[in-house]
Amino acid sequence: MLLLLCLGNIGNSVAHLSSSSESTLHTNNWAVLVCTSRFWFNYRHMANTLSLYRTVKRLGIPDERIILMLADDMACNARNKYPAQVFNNENHKLNLYGDNVEVDYRGYEVTVENFLRVLTGRHEAAVPRSKRLLSDEGSHILLYMTGHGGDEFLKFQDSEELQSHDLADAVKQMKEKRRFKELLIMVDTCQASTLFSQLHSPGVLAIGSSMKGENSYSHHLDPDVGVSVVDRFTYYTLAFFEKLNMYDNASLSSFFNSFNPNLLMSTAYYRMDLYQRRLEEVPVTNFFGSVMETLHTDSAYKSHRSIDIGEAKIKKRTDQSISGSDRRILRNMNNKDQVSNLSTEENSQDSFGQLWNSVLSKVTTTENVDEFVCHGLLLMLSLLVASTWLSH
Amino acid sequence: MRESKGSAKIRWFWIWVTASLIFRLILIYFPKSLNLSSRPEVSTPLTSIRRLAEGYWLKQSSLSPYAGSMYHGSPLLLTLLGPLTVRRVEGQPDHLLCSLVLVIADVVTAMLIRAAGQSLKMSSSSSLKSVGLHHVLEYSEVLPSGDIAALVYLWNPFTVVACVGLSTSAIENLMIVLSLYGGCTRQAPLAAFGWVMATHLSLYPAILIIPVVLLFGYGPDAPPRKLLRQRTKFDNSSSIDNSSVEKDVKNQLRELNFSWKPVLHFLFWILLWSSYVLVLCGIYARQHGGLKELFRRTYGFILTIPDLSPNIGVLWYFFAEVFDFFRNFFLIVFHGNVLLMIVPLALRLNHRPCFLAFVYTVVACMLKSYPSVGDSALYLGILGLFAYELSDMKFSFFLFCGYVGVSLLSPVMHNLWIWRGTGNANFYFATAIAYACLQLILVVESVSAILNHDRMLTKLTGAKLQDVKA
């Protein structure tokens, strides 16, 4: 989890947040990305989901907090001319599949039942932790679904359907069990906004790619791969997000308003009546990334290392410097772990070993062990020459 | 006339040495189609330069160089050759600097063999003189065994292949020959350094401590001591007043008894060098598990033979089919085989320590866990030092043809097995068995030839004594 230091306006929104009806703090972000379509000609649904996966990872959500459900395997499909590669654009610039993709539910595991189990958390005992949505009351969850849909339904695997009241029911259960603080549902199917028409739980925001009676269209066909590679709604979503990085604070309203109905060939309808906050104040990284707020405590950390004094000093220094710039400063906590490891090793040895270790560590550091050994070798050779010459 | 002949010989020697150097350099610049460094006969898990480069890269990435069971050699070698594998010169073949180091190692080894041969010759001529066999001396002086051995070492195809194929056995051979040279010329620091480094690099030269100790104790190769004792007794009893004879007597007396002082000096230098090497290795391995892990990965690898990739030895085939239950037993049997040979050979050949070292090298090369042609390059070179004593060796032509045949057939069988798939492991193992048999015949015949030579000397001395008495 990245700990970042805040800006002034985020501090304002913190104040705003604490005055909202939810008294819990936002502590973590989750993403549930679902592709429900099977078969090669639905390549674009896979590419949609993988594009969102890549965006969400890039902006900071780690694999442990992403549930990726892909109903079919396009990357290693026998009809894929580019094996192990999935593209979302004709120019093949981005390989979405890459070498760092963690799929949690694959193939026939993507069913309505599993989807609802993920949302509500009612799994069988043997389901591993990586397949569970382990969110709590401080979580912001992004739920993205893509595939073929229609009026009040979403088709799973070409054999079953998820209906809008099923989804609303599941979200209501989640709210009862306090499994989320805020939920953003994004749906990219035909007649997408009908899918969340039955929702009535507070703290839920939803956007769909098209309204009732409209179709959602694919963006372009890739003549090389042979199928359409991305849908319009997701394409323009990515166009918005590719310009961002972790440190930007573009708001959700700018995101929602970035969709042009002429380009989408449908109306991107969003529903914010269940959501208390104003969209202009919510940064997109609240759902799509993993940017947290830090709370300073004045009490000391419990530790026996002198480096903590250094850390406290760093904190004080950065406190003074926030007021100036608009940027967030990143701090790395790794060096503390390394020092603690080394010192535990030292404590476990006897006094002679400690003395020897201290002498050696003074003489050599990690980098110049090689040089030291090299010099040792040269010294040995010169000793040899000297001793040979002397013994003559 | 003799001097000009001698200087002509020396000139020819240096011409041949330079020619071998140029030949190696030409082969290094040859295109990669020769692919010598990937042949199992040349590069074993212990001597391969690719594994060394991998170990160096692991070290540079702050991992232990022994991670992943790629590199199993000495850390000192890694410090020496590692940076050279990385440094590239524009437009030249890969690993050029490494090949230059190995070429230099080869040339230095040849020079040391020559010097050892010259010192052996001097001592053998003085001992023959003291026994009174002057006509034998004349024959042996014609043959400059040191030069012959050096040229045999340089021009041996095995050595050339091992050098061009970037096998680190060239450096091991250098250390072994250094220890023998130090023993022959009675330089304890050199000999101790050579022995410690050779044992450190590969475990098997440890058995060479016995010949080197005998070299320090008794001196270089000489006829059997009972001949010298008979001569001394005879000289004493005949009581010829001659200062030169008295000097000879004194020399003989010195050589007849085992002198402990040089041996202790040698052992002291061994302690010094080995503690230095251990300290350096300990510092190097401090972050990666310490000395215990280092020994487990280097010597433990040699002794437990976990890697069963084919090579020109016989152990891989055997251990691929042995049951796990018996694996430790057979490891003990195979390694004990080497140890069992040490004592009887030492007892029988203790008057000829250099030849004993040669026999030990052949035995170790036959029975070691990962042999390569670099090891046989070593003993074929040392074989040349005894060119005079072994001139009556039986089966020499058969052995020569056998070596040529095996070295040609072995890559063919390997190709048939691995690349074409028309052969199987038995094809390749057959050439490995033939190679082991050839080495066996070589060692048996050479030992019997030396013993015959000693018997001939005894007979001649006995005849001479009879003549003088009569």
Side-chain angles (χ1 to χ4, degrees):
Chain A
M1 205 162 75
L2 288 174
L3 288 179
L4 301 175
L5 295 179
C6 302
L7 307 172
N9 50 0
I10 290 296
N12 280 340
S13 70
V14 167
H16 194 82
L17 194 66
S18 53
S19 65
S20 66
S21 57
E22 301 288 335
S23 55
T24 52
L25 296 167
H26 167 210
T27 51
N28 54 64
N29 283 4
W30 282 82
V32 179
L33 309 172
V34 185
C35 163
T36 60
S37 303
R38 179 160 274 279
F39 307 126
W40 174 245
F41 50 80
N42 292 320
Y43 184 103
R44 61 189 187 281
H45 296 143
M46 190 76 54
N48 290 347
T49 321
L50 285 173
S51 313
L52 251 293
Y53 176 76
R54 177 184 169 271
T55 304
V56 144
K57 265 183 91 160
R58 189 173 61 88
L59 294 176
I61 304 188
D63 273 318
E64 298 95 66
R65 282 189 256 120
I66 303 178
I67 307 266
L68 180 60
M69 303 172 75
L70 298 179
D72 199 359
D73 185 7
M74 300 305 170
C76 301
N77 196 311
R79 294 168 74 166
N80 191 355
K81 189 179 162 197
Y82 297 91
Q85 293 165 61
V86 175
F87 304 112
N88 65 354
N89 201 313
E90 208 178 0
N91 57 24
H92 293 186
K93 266 205 194 137
L94 270 181
N95 173 16
L96 297 172
Y97 210 65
D99 51 3
N100 201 8
V101 170
E102 208 179 284
V103 182
D104 299 302
Y105 287 83
R106 61 174 59 96
Y108 286 109
E109 291 170 358
V110 179
T111 57
V112 174
E113 179 193 340
N114 279 347
F115 175 67
L116 292 175
R117 280 186 189 275
V118 163
L119 283 187
T120 54
R122 297 164 74 149
H123 294 283
E124 301 188 350
V127 170
R129 281 176 68 90
S130 61
K131 282 182 163 177
R132 297 182 188 227
L133 180 64
L134 299 167
S135 54
D136 55 21
E137 53 192 1
S139 306
H140 285 187
I141 304 183
L142 166 72
L143 174 59
Y144 175 81
M145 292 179 282
T146 180
H148 288 293
D151 195 1
E152 309 256 340
F153 72 90
L154 172 64
K155 192 163 75 157
F156 267 69
Q157 301 267 17
D158 208 24
S159 61
E160 49 180 8
E161 293 156 3
L162 172 77
Q163 301 200 326
S164 55
H165 52 256
D166 290 326
L167 181 63
D169 215 25
V171 170
K172 190 168 158 191
Q173 278 193 48
M174 284 172 84
K175 196 69 200 179
E176 286 295 315
K177 291 169 75 166
R178 299 201 209 168
R179 279 168 69 75
F180 66 91
K181 183 166 182 297
E182 289 174 20
L183 175 65
L184 169 62
I185 304 180
M186 273 177 80
V187 189
D188 186 357
T189 68
C190 303
Q191 307 187 50
S193 48
T194 55
L195 191 66
F196 46 80
S197 58
Q198 308 274 343
L199 286 173
H200 43 259
S201 311
V204 178
L205 195 56
I207 178 167
S209 60
S210 50
M211 299 184 65
K212 181 175 158 102
E214 289 176 350
N215 291 331
S216 291
Y217 295 96
S218 65
H219 189 259
H220 63 268
L221 168 80
D222 181 350
D224 209 7
V225 176
V227 285
S228 308
V229 287
V230 71
D231 278 333
R232 287 181 181 256
F233 180 69
T234 311
Y235 181 84
Y236 290 109
T237 307
L238 291 175
F240 181 83
F241 275 103
E242 285 297 310
K243 294 188 291 239
L244 299 183
N245 60 31
M246 267 193 291
Y247 306 115
D248 290 331
N249 53 348
S251 68
L252 268 184
S253 68
S254 65
F255 169 51
F256 286 171
N257 294 331
S258 70
F259 292 111
N260 182 347
N262 296 329
L263 291 176
L264 277 185
M265 292 161 64
S266 59
T267 319
Y269 172 74
Y270 61 94
R271 183 181 169 174
M272 42 180 273
D273 55 312
L274 298 168
Y275 193 67
Q276 282 82 12
R277 293 164 65 186
R278 290 174 47 223
L279 288 182
E280 290 81 12
E281 289 159 8
V282 182
V284 288
T285 47
N286 260 15
F287 290 99
F288 288 89
S290 187
V291 173
M292 300 297 144
E293 300 143 10
T294 317
L295 293 176
H296 299 286
T297 61
D298 287 333
S299 59
Y301 286 125
K302 250 193 314 194
S303 150
H304 53 287
R305 212 107 354 264
S306 62
I307 198 153
D308 293 325
I309 307 173
E311 276 180 21
K313 283 200 193 124
I314 295 172
K315 250 206 248 172
K316 286 199 198 113
R317 263 190 271 120
T318 46
D319 278 349
Q320 289 152 13
S321 65
I322 10 162
S323 52
S325 63
D326 239 15
R327 309 287 298 170
R328 298 177 195 176
I329 312 161
L330 182 65
R331 192 156 52 90
N332 200 336
M333 300 274 283
N334 287 339
N335 51 1
K336 185 176 165 201
D337 296 344
Q338 279 177 4
V339 170
S340 62
N341 283 341
L342 271 176
S343 69
T344 46
E345 269 178 46
E346 281 173 16
N347 287 334
S348 60
Q349 283 172 339
D350 60 332
S351 60
F352 178 70
Q354 267 186 336
L355 179 68
W356 175 241
N357 265 343
S358 59
V359 165
L360 275 182
S361 51
K362 277 198 200 104
V363 171
T364 64
T365 61
T366 325
E367 288 86 26
N368 63 9
V369 161
D370 279 340
E371 287 174 30
F372 186 77
V373 173
C374 213
H375 292 322
L377 266 179
L378 291 171
L379 183 67
M380 185 158 72
L381 287 171
S382 52
L383 255 181
L384 174 75
V385 168
S387 57
T388 317
W389 182 73
L390 278 175
S391 63
H392 256 300
Chain B
M1 179 64 181
R2 231 190 188 172
E3 283 78 16
S4 66
K5 219 171 151 189
S7 63
K9 268 192 199 165
I10 292 176
R11 208 185 47 205
W12 269 110
F13 171 73
W14 285 109
I15 289 173
W16 278 108
V17 168
T18 334
S20 82
L21 191 69
I22 295 172
F23 180 58
R24 277 171 169 75
L25 287 174
I26 292 174
L27 276 184
I28 289 171
Y29 276 86
F30 222 76
K32 267 200 187 150
S33 56
L34 274 183
N35 220 4
L36 284 171
S37 57
S38 59
R39 295 210 178 271
E41 293 92 355
V42 175
S43 71
T44 64
L46 297 172
T47 59
S48 164
I49 196 83
R50 290 185 192 178
R51 288 180 179 247
L52 195 142
E54 173 84 14
Y56 181 69
W57 182 85
L58 284 170
K59 185 85 175 82
Q60 295 303 102
S61 317
S62 319
L63 294 169
S64 163
Y66 301 103
S69 182
M70 272 304 270
Y71 180 63
H72 296 284
S74 148
L76 302 179
L77 203 61
L78 198 61
T79 330
L80 181 66
L81 284 182
L84 294 180
T85 56
V86 179
R87 206 172 300 170
R88 288 192 191 282
V89 184
E90 276 297 320
Q92 315 284 0
D94 291 342
H95 299 314
L96 179 72
L97 293 170
C98 284
S99 1
L100 288 179
V101 167
L102 295 174
V103 166
I104 293 172
D106 267 350
V107 171
V108 172
T109 315
M111 294 301 117
L112 286 173
I113 291 181
R114 176 170 184 249
Q118 280 168 347
S119 122
L120 270 182
K121 181 159 273 339
M122 273 190 337
S123 82
S124 82
S125 62
S126 75
S127 55
L128 280 176
K129 249 190 253 171
S130 64
V131 178
L133 294 170
H134 295 220
H135 56 279
V136 176
L137 187 61
E138 275 173 28
Y139 289 141
S140 75
E141 249 181 15
V142 170
L143 225 53
S145 60
D147 294 357
I148 290 178
L151 284 179
V152 162
Y153 183 80
L154 278 178
W155 280 97
N156 189 355
F158 287 163
T159 333
V160 174
V161 155
C163 175
V164 173
L166 295 168
S167 158
T168 58
S169 57
I171 300 181
E172 292 168 19
N173 296 351
L174 171 65
M175 293 302 158
I176 294 176
V177 170
L178 186 68
S179 71
L180 284 180
Y181 168 72
C184 285
T185 53
R186 292 265 175 110
Q187 286 171 336
L190 264 185
F193 178 75
W195 183 84
V196 164
M197 290 308 290
T199 313
H200 176 70
L201 289 174
S202 74
L203 189 57
Y204 289 91
I207 57 178
L208 288 175
I209 189 159
I210 293 179
V212 180
V213 160
L214 286 174
L215 273 173
F216 275 102
Y218 283 127
D221 290 13
R225 270 183 293 283
K226 67 174 186 206
L227 291 185
L228 297 172
R229 277 201 203 96
Q230 280 177 353
R231 185 74 193 175
T232 334
K233 254 197 305 197
F234 177 73
D235 282 339
N236 280 344
S237 62
S238 70
S239 69
I240 297 173
D241 262 296
N242 205 340
S243 57
S244 63
V245 173
E246 275 183 27
K247 251 189 248 163
D248 283 343
V249 166
K250 283 209 187 86
N251 287 340
Q252 289 159 41
L253 279 177
R254 199 161 13 119
E255 279 167 16
L256 281 179
N257 302 326
F258 191 81
S259 42
W260 279 103
K261 218 160 92 51
V263 173
L264 287 174
H265 195 209
F266 170 66
L267 289 174
F268 161 73
W269 276 103
I270 282 187
L271 273 175
L272 194 72
W273 291 124
S274 52
S275 52
Y276 195 104
V277 165
L278 281 176
V279 162
L280 274 185
C281 290
I283 293 176
Y284 193 89
R286 205 159 55 100
Q287 285 124 352
H288 307 303
L291 269 183
K292 193 154 160 262
E293 181 71 18
L294 183 80
F295 286 152
R296 196 173 72 87
R297 295 286 194 155
T298 52
Y299 298 149
F301 178 81
I302 295 176
L303 290 175
T304 53
I305 322 178
D307 185 334
L308 295 178
S309 45
N311 49 53
I312 206 156
V314 296
L315 270 75
W316 58 275
Y317 192 87
F318 184 78
F319 278 103
E321 55 187 14
V322 78
F323 290 120
D324 274 341
F325 185 74
F326 297 106
R327 198 187 151 85
N328 284 337
F329 168 70
F330 280 112
L331 279 174
I332 295 174
V333 164
F334 274 96
H335 291 303
N337 207 353
V338 179
L339 293 175
L340 276 174
M341 302 258 186
I342 295 180
V343 173
L345 283 169
L347 286 176
R348 190 69 183 83
L349 290 170
N350 62 359
H351 57 284
R352 291 190 182 273
C354 272
F355 186 73
L356 185 66
F358 163 73
V359 175
Y360 279 172
T361 332
V362 182
V363 164
C365 179
M366 254 197 319
L367 298 171
K368 76 192 306 197
S369 35
Y370 296 100
S372 70
V373 291
D375 306 316
S376 62
L378 174 69
Y379 68 72
L380 286 174
I382 302 181
L383 181 67
L385 286 176
F386 312 104
Y388 176 66
E389 287 91 352
L390 294 177
S391 50
D392 285 333
M393 192 166 87
K394 288 188 288 185
F395 297 131
S396 47
F397 182 66
F398 169 73
L399 282 172
F400 175 73
C401 294
Y403 269 100
V404 168
V406 165
S407 52
L408 289 176
L409 273 180
S410 173
V412 170
M413 295 303 172
H414 187 255
N415 190 331
L416 276 183
W417 173 29
I418 303 273
W419 297 110
R420 291 175 193 267
T422 53
N424 55 39
N426 297 321
F427 286 40
Y428 190 66
F429 186 59
T431 56
I433 289 186
Y435 185 66
C437 282
L438 288 172
Q439 287 172 309
L440 189 64
I441 295 175
L442 176 71
V443 81
V444 167
E445 287 308 318
S446 57
V447 169
S448 72
I450 283 278
L451 295 178
N452 280 340
H453 180 80
D454 283 341
R455 279 188 211 112
M456 177 203 64
L457 284 181
T458 321
K459 213 167 54 169
L460 283 175
T461 327
K464 211 162 161 125
L465 283 175
Q466 294 284 357
D467 282 344
V468 173
K469 270 189 189 155

